[in-house]
Amino acid sequence: MSTITLSSAARARATGRHFVPRLSWLWSGLFGCLVILNIAPLIWGILTSFKGQADLFRFPPAFVSFTPTLENYERVFLSGFGGNLGISLVNALAAVVLALVLGLPAAYAFDRFNFPLRRLLFLAVVASIPLSIGAAALLIPNYVYFASLGLTNTPIVLPMLYAAHQLPMAIWVIKGTIEGIPRELDEAATADGCTTFQILRYVILPLVRPALGAAAILVFVGSWNEFVASSVMVDSPSLRTVQPAIYSFIGFFGREWGPLTASATLAILPILIIFALFGRLMVSGLTKGSVKG
């Protein structure tokens, strides 16, 4: 009987060892399919941007058997798209600076100080995080408010809106890291005669740099990809950002697929470069506060 029991247990263990690799292969296959589904449109758009007019409408479509050309990119830059890239870059960087300058002391205050309505205010901050994805519901009140101030169609309106939309996300990311910093460091600095600003500057700031980097990346990406506010708050060609400029290639008589895909390719290049260079920084900043101590 014991022999039979041992044999059954051995078969069960062997079956379990075979089942785990099969399950891992299944998950790997599903993940591979998901990657292909996400990357395929991107690769197809990039290839399309290098096709001439004749190759754009060839059937069956030409994946690699076509003559590459830069005429679509030439047309995009002749339309002033380079200026749109520069405007978007300035707006996004200004939003990053504003969000970090305001987000760091706010996150520190939410974590270290007790003040009236602190929990309620932080709950409002967390509830406002979806603004970083888009704030179409606030478009009309924002437009009415900024129009009454005479700030629509000005260089400062979009950085202010971008920073306001991305600020809750920045506060949440930075606060998560500050929670993992021992309060004893603040107490030791206070005993040495440091003010609150000096503690923030010389103690907290060096320790939250990964979180600041992660927040900066998220703010930059959110500001760069914003479309609704930038297409309504600004209508001057000299202040037009990247996303409305891409949309301008969808004309009354149809889509101009060559310039459209070329401009979209140029628009995603900064995002790809940022994630390629600073992707690890973002992961480090988002996970640094996950373990307190």
Side-chain angles (χ1 to χ4, degrees), residues 86-175:
I87 293 168
S88 287
L89 182 62
V90 171
N91 289 342
L93 291 178
V96 168
V97 173
L98 285 174
L100 295 186
V101 169
L102 297 175
L104 176 60
Y108 181 72
F110 276 122
D111 186 70
R112 291 296 201 257
F113 299 112
N114 291 319
F115 51 88
L117 303 178
R118 180 174 70 95
R119 292 183 178 274
L120 183 61
L121 289 175
F122 186 69
L123 180 61
V125 169
V126 174
S128 300
I129 289 177
L131 291 177
S132 61
I133 303 175
L138 299 178
L139 181 62
I140 294 177
N142 281 336
Y143 181 81
V144 173
Y145 178 71
F146 281 103
S148 65
L149 297 176
L151 294 178
T152 55
N153 208 35
T154 60
I156 65 173
V157 61
L158 290 181
M160 292 173 62
L161 273 177
Y162 293 164
H165 292 170
Q166 305 297 325
L167 183 58
M169 174 66 74
I171 293 175
W172 181 68
V173 172
I174 298 171
K175 183 179 180 297

Side-chain angles (χ1 to χ4, degrees), residues 55 58 61-67:
D55 292 322
R58 182 192 301 181
F63 290 94
V64 292
S65 59
F66 63 90
T67 303

